[in-house]
Amino acid sequence: GGYNVLSVVTSQGEMGYSIREGTINGEGYIEFLKEIIMNRERPIILLVDHATFHGSKRVRDFVHMHRNQLRIFFLPKRAPEFNPDEQVWNEIKNNRIGKQPVKNKVDLRERLVSALDSLKQNTKRVISFFSTPDTRYAFGNVS
């Protein structure tokens, strides 16, 4: 009875997220992708794991139809450390709400929104997700 969080980060420190109840499927992921590409001037490149919905036919078709706005690259299996976006969940779980008692599902959602909004405003922290030894490749030349 929890939540699933979809998020995206850019090396410029931008972050987007969506909190969903229940299982994420291809259709739900496409809705998130639509939110991501809406009003973007430049295409976005997503680095994703091998979750079933990432590679579903519906998602592949959507990405193909929007290839000027969106590209998806699959990371190696069982290698979440290569994905800068995985740092969002790491941050939320380990440094924000993971150590706090949660009263109920409503409280959990409120804490998630608060923590994610706070992180979204912290551009420097989001950029730092691209400077770990395993994620530097995604940023280019990071000192």
Side-chain angles (χ1 to χ4, degrees), residues 1-3 89 92-93 96-112:
Y3 295 102
W89 184 241
I92 299 304
K93 187 170 91 173
R96 307 278 177 138
I97 64 173
K99 297 176 182 174
Q100 302 172 4
V102 176
K103 297 175 190 167
N104 53 42
K105 195 169 177 179
V106 172
D107 183 43
L108 174 60
R109 183 174 179 83
E110 289 172 359
R111 289 173 188 259
L112 278 171

Side-chain angles (χ1 to χ4, degrees), residues 74-88:
F74 287 89
L75 293 166
K77 290 184 179 182
R78 292 177 285 287
E81 67 276 8
F82 293 134
N83 191 345
D85 191 44
E86 287 289 332
Q87 298 300 319
V88 171

Side-chain angles (χ1 to χ4, degrees), residues 63-129:
V63 170
H64 181 73
M65 289 183 339
H66 295 87
R67 65 184 167 271
N68 291 330
Q69 299 166 287
L70 176 67
R71 298 286 168 94
I72 291 184
F73 292 93
F74 287 89
L75 293 166
K77 290 184 179 182
R78 292 177 285 287
E81 67 276 8
F82 293 134
N83 191 345
D85 191 44
E86 287 289 332
Q87 298 300 319
V88 171
W89 184 241
N90 235 5
E91 176 77 14
I92 299 304
K93 187 170 91 173
N94 296 321
N95 300 332
R96 307 278 177 138
I97 64 173
K99 297 176 182 174
Q100 302 172 4
V102 176
K103 297 175 190 167
N104 53 42
K105 195 169 177 179
V106 172
D107 183 43
L108 174 60
R109 183 174 179 83
E110 289 172 359
R111 289 173 188 259
L112 278 171
V113 169
S114 175
L116 288 161
D117 282 345
S118 173
L119 182 57
K120 186 176 179 176
Q121 300 305 312
N122 190 344
T123 304
K124 287 182 182 178
R125 183 69 180 134
V126 173
I127 290 171
S128 78
F129 298 162

Side-chain angles (χ1 to χ4, degrees), residues 122-142:
N122 190 344
T123 304
K124 287 182 182 178
R125 183 69 180 134
V126 173
I127 290 171
S128 78
F129 298 162
F130 290 82
S131 62
T132 71
D134 292 324
T135 60
R136 285 184 185 192
Y137 76 91
F139 190 74
N141 295 329
V142 177

